Amino acid sequence: MKKIITKIFLGSFLLLPVCLSAGNIKAYFSSSVFAVPGKSPYLETYFSIAGNSVNYIKNEVGKYFAEIEVNISIKDKTGIKYADRYKLRSRDVDSLPVKFDIADMQRINLANGNYEMLLTFKDINNANDSFK
């Protein structure tokens, strides 16, 4: 299993879009930092997962869906400053193969500083397919 750790330098930072792939999951990641006068700076993360790189199963009404577990952890030299774990579900589709991606955006408040981010994706419908 590969580990991808992204360095974040909040305050003055540029991170170009990255294509990540491990197992069958193909993910595209990018981020932006925003500083709003009088408010805390924040990081926005954007990713999309290629719809044809995850497994779909039928639901109770006969439509197909995919589900991905997402873990985000951000730390600095003193420890973890942000952590979140959630499930991201595709929209239901009538038939396969799928021709759309599954996308997400998160907004994370962080003080200025240097950070490392660990982002993990797991295909819930395939126990052997995860990306870290």
Side-chain angles (χ1 to χ4, degrees):
M1 181 180 302
K2 292 182 184 177
K3 287 187 180 182
I4 298 295
I5 298 176
T6 302
K7 299 271 186 186
I8 302 170
F9 305 101
L10 206 55
S12 62
F13 128 84
L14 172 67
L15 181 64
L16 299 174
V18 178
C19 176
L20 312 168
S21 180
N24 291 332
I25 298 175
K26 290 185 178 77
Y28 303 91
F29 172 82
S30 67
S31 63
S32 296
V33 174
F34 296 92
V36 179
K39 295 188 179 185
S40 175
Y42 62 91
L43 169 72
E44 278 189 355
T45 62
Y46 316 97
F47 67 82
S48 65
I49 296 173
N52 62 0
S53 72
V54 292
N55 292 312
Y56 287 76
I57 60 172
K58 269 190 180 181
N59 64 17
E60 60 281 350
V61 295
K63 296 194 177 206
Y64 296 91
F65 72 96
E67 219 170 7
I68 296 104
E69 180 181 285
V70 179
N71 287 288
I72 301 173
S73 176
I74 299 175
K75 67 179 184 174
D76 67 7
K77 62 184 176 187
T78 64
I80 295 176
K81 297 300 178 185
Y82 175 85
D84 195 11
R85 179 180 182 175
Y86 58 95
K87 290 181 182 177
L88 186 62
R89 183 181 164 145
S90 72
R91 65 180 187 241
D92 292 346
V93 294
D94 294 323
S95 63
L96 299 176
V98 173
K99 298 185 184 213
F100 61 84
D101 293 343
I102 303 163
D104 190 44
M105 187 275 298
Q106 297 291 316
R107 184 173 288 176
I108 303 164
N109 290 322
L110 291 170
N112 287 332
N114 297 328
Y115 298 90
E116 289 183 358
M117 177 169 53
L118 178 64
L119 183 61
T120 305
F121 301 106
K122 180 180 179 189
D123 184 344
I124 292 173
N125 298 333
N126 181 356
N128 297 323
D129 197 10
S130 65
F131 175 60
K132 197 173 196 179

